[in-house]
Amino acid sequence: GAGRVVVRVGGAGGGVCARGWWVSRDTFDVIVIGGGIVGLASARELVERHPSLTFGVLEKEKELASHQSGRNSGVIHSGIYYKPGSLKAKLCVQGAALLYAYCEQKGIPYKQCGKLIIAVEQEEIPRLKALYERGLQNSVRGLKLIGPKEIKAKEPFCRGLMALDSPYTGILNYRQVALSYAKDFQDAGGTVLTDFEVKDMEMAKECPLESKEGMKHPVVVRSSKGEELLCQHIVTCAGLHADRLSAISGCSPEPRIVPFRGEYLVLKPEKCYLVKGNIYPVPDPRFPFLGVHFKPRMDGSIWLGPNAVLAFKREGYQLCDFSTRDFLDATAYSGLWKLAFRNLSYGMAEIYRSFFLSAQVKELQKFIPEVTIHDVLRGPAGVRAQALDSDGNLVDDFVFDGGTGDIGGRILHVRNAPSPAATSSLAIAKMIAEEVEQRFAL
C-alpha cells in the first residue's frame, strides 16, 4: 500500500564514490523530504506536471502521514479567520474547493456538517461581526449571521447570543487523503521510500571515474542508516523537523519550530447526540490559539478541545513524553521565552486545564451547559509545529526558504505550512510546484 516501503527503484542508475570504487545508487531529479500531506500533495503535483522527470519521496517513519497529517481535527476549513489578502486566506478558499472536488473524484468519504462560531458573551458580538466581514472579504461561501433561535434549530443543546454560520465547513480523514495522494504519485511513476530518515545532504565528492549521471545528480542525500541517494534538487516539507533539515543543509535555522501539544477530550458515545456540527468560540485576539471547540468525527465520535501546551518532545503525544534534545532546543530559544512572558496567564491556564479536566469542561459548558465531567474522557493528542521567530512572534503564514552555495541553491525548504495546511494541501502543492519550477528551471 501507499503507506509502506516500496521497492527501491530510482531513475537512471547513478553512483557515488566509496573507498575508490564507483558504487551504484538510486538517482532522482527531485527528492521531496517529508511524507506528510503537504509533501505528498507537492510530489503528486510535480510528477503530474513533469512526467519525464524522476521523483522520490522520503519519509523517516515506517508509515506515511504519521504525525500532523494523521493526528489532527479532520476539519475542512472554509477560510474565515485569515487576514484578507494573505496567502493563508487565498490558499484555504482555493484548497477547500479543490479538496471537495478531489474527494468526489476519488470516492473519499466526507461530511459537509457546517460550523457555528458562537458568541456567548455580549462583548464577543463586535468581534463576531468583524469575523463575518473578514469571511466575506475572503470570498467564503454561504456565510451568514444568525440569532439564538436559529442556533437552537441547528444545535438544539447549544446556547449563544449570535453565531456565524459556515455551511461549507466539513470533516474527513486527512490520513486517507494523504495516502490517496501517495497512490496518485506512485501510479504516475514516483517512488516512495519509508523508514528513510535524512541525516545529511552534501555535494557528491568528485570521483576518478567520470560519470554523466554523477555530474547530472550532484547532491548526495544520506539516511541515518548510511543509505545514499543522488539527486539534482530537494524540496523539504518536514513539518516538526523543518528547522533541523534546513540547518543540516546549511540554510538558516530560523524560524525555529517549537512544538505545542493539543490534547483532546472525547464525549462518551451515549452523549454524542449533544453535538451535530462543528461548534467554535469567537477567537480572542489577545491569545495565540483558538480555544476549545466541539468537533464531530467521521466515525461518529465527538472531540472536544484542544488545549495548547508546550510539548517536551517534538513527537510527544503523551503527557509525560520527554526528549532532552527537543526540550533543550525549545527552552534555549529566546523567542519561546518572549512568547511565554507575553502570554503568561494564558499559558498557565492552559497547563492547568491540561491537568484538571473540570477546568476544560467549564469552558465547554459556556456553549453546551449539559456537558458534565462525567460525560468526557481523555482522548488523543496532536503536536503542532509552531514556527516562531526570535522576537517571540508566531509565524502566521507560509515561509519558503533556500540558501546560497552549491547545496543551498538546489534546495527549497517549506519552512512553515500552518493550519489550515491540510485543507489547503492541493492549492499549496500548486504554489510549491510553481516555486520549484521557477527556482530550479525545471
Side-chain angles (χ1 to χ4, degrees):
R4 287 188 165 75
V5 69
V6 298
V7 178
R8 302 205 164 190
V9 285
V16 293
C17 202
R19 297 191 181 90
W21 295 89
W22 188 251
V23 182
S24 179
R25 286 290 181 269
D26 289 346
T27 65
F28 297 97
D29 293 310
V30 180
I31 280 176
V32 177
I33 301 173
I37 199 165
V38 173
L40 292 167
S42 302
R44 171 186 174 276
E45 181 72 22
L46 284 164
V47 77
E48 286 181 359
R49 289 183 182 214
H50 301 281
S52 63
L53 299 181
T54 54
F55 293 91
V57 168
L58 309 183
E59 167 54 46
K60 74 182 179 68
E61 305 295 351
K62 290 184 170 64
E63 300 281 334
L64 296 170
S66 294
H67 295 295
Q68 292 183 108
S69 304
R71 295 170 177 266
N72 56 61
S73 63
V75 175
I76 304 171
H77 292 282
S78 59
I80 297 167
Y81 297 104
Y82 318 115
K83 185 180 173 185
S86 69
L87 218 41
K88 258 180 142 175
K90 186 177 128 190
L91 294 173
C92 182
V93 173
Q94 285 176 3
L98 290 169
L99 186 57
Y100 278 128
Y102 181 82
C103 290
E104 286 287 344
Q105 180 198 340
K106 297 289 180 179
I108 295 171
Y110 67 88
K111 292 177 189 168
Q112 216 165 53
C113 54
K115 171 166 80 173
L116 295 181
I117 302 172
I118 299 181
V120 292
E121 307 286 350
Q122 204 68 40
E123 67 191 36
E124 293 174 331
I125 289 175
R127 295 208 304 270
L128 187 70
K129 288 179 175 174
L131 211 52
Y132 171 63
E133 293 300 328
R134 179 171 272 202
L136 293 181
Q137 283 180 274
N138 289 341
S139 306
V140 177
R141 290 193 302 157
L143 283 186
K144 59 178 190 273
L145 288 167
I146 61 174
K149 276 188 180 174
E150 291 161 294
I151 292 171
K152 280 276 183 228
K154 285 181 174 287
E155 292 288 351
F157 297 93
C158 191
R159 63 176 281 266
L161 304 174
M162 186 184 281
L164 180 51
D165 179 13
S166 171
Y168 290 101
T169 298
I171 57 171
L172 49 49
N173 180 337
Y174 278 115
R175 186 161 193 273
Q176 197 175 351
V177 174
L179 295 183
S180 182
Y181 292 168
K183 185 177 185 307
D184 293 346
F185 173 67
Q186 288 173 307
D187 288 348
T191 302
V192 175
L193 304 180
T194 53
D195 201 18
F196 192 110
E197 183 176 3
V198 174
K199 280 294 181 192
D200 192 23
M201 308 171 211
E202 63 180 9
M203 297 303 286
K205 308 281 190 294
E206 282 186 38
C207 282
L209 295 175
E210 283 301 324
S211 158
K212 278 187 183 175
E213 283 306 320
M215 301 283 284
K216 191 182 167 194
H217 300 92
V219 182
V220 181
V221 179
R222 197 170 290 114
S223 80
S224 53
K225 296 176 182 173
E227 302 160 293
E228 292 182 350
L229 303 170
L230 290 178
C231 66
Q232 285 193 68
H233 303 290
I234 295 171
V235 180
T236 72
C237 300
L240 284 156
H241 299 278
D243 54 345
R244 289 178 178 170
L245 267 183
S246 183
I248 284 172
S249 72
C251 297
S252 168
E254 298 233 348
R256 292 278 283 278
I257 297 297
V258 175
F260 284 90
R261 189 173 59 255
E263 300 159 331
Y264 288 94
L265 305 178
V266 292
L267 267 183
K268 288 181 178 175
E270 63 270 24
K271 290 291 183 174
C272 287
Y273 68 87
L274 291 171
V275 179
K276 304 277 184 241
N278 293 284
I279 300 171
Y280 277 60
V282 179
D284 188 330
R286 293 174 301 165
F287 302 130
F289 298 112
L290 198 54
V292 295
H293 29 283
F294 299 75
K295 300 178 179 192
R297 303 282 293 175
M298 287 300 291
D299 62 5
S301 63
I302 306 290
W303 286 13
L304 315 167
N307 60 0
V309 293
L310 179 67
F312 296 143
K313 185 179 180 185
R314 290 201 181 193
E315 288 151 5
Y317 301 107
Q318 304 302 320
L319 201 58
C320 299
D321 284 353
F322 185 85
S323 154
T324 304
R325 180 192 178 190
D326 292 351
F327 176 73
L328 291 176
D329 264 8
T331 54
Y333 186 49
S334 63
L336 176 64
W337 289 106
K338 289 171 186 171
L339 175 74
F341 284 128
R342 278 206 301 271
N343 297 279
L344 199 56
S345 62
Y346 178 83
M348 297 307 290
E350 287 291 276
I351 292 166
Y352 182 78
R353 282 194 287 269
S354 176
F355 283 97
F356 298 101
L357 292 193
S358 57
Q360 268 202 68
V361 170
K362 196 174 174 185
E363 290 296 307
L364 296 165
Q365 285 170 337
K366 291 177 182 176
F367 301 91
I368 298 185
E370 290 178 44
V371 174
T372 72
I373 193 158
H374 307 295
D375 299 331
V376 301
L377 301 166
R378 283 198 183 273
V383 177
R384 170 178 175 166
Q386 180 59 60
L388 199 62
D389 68 21
S390 54
D391 292 326
N393 300 312
L394 303 180
V395 179
D396 199 36
D397 224 328
F398 296 88
V399 177
F400 296 115
D401 188 13
T404 52
D406 291 339
I407 280 268
R410 291 179 174 273
I411 294 180
L412 172 65
H413 292 292
V414 181
R415 296 300 301 274
N416 192 42
S419 177
T423 297
S424 311
S425 53
L426 291 170
I428 293 170
K430 290 180 186 297
M431 184 178 65
I432 288 172
E434 284 160 15
E435 190 78 19
V436 167
E437 287 167 347
Q438 190 182 327
R439 286 191 186 219
F440 304 147
L442 288 192

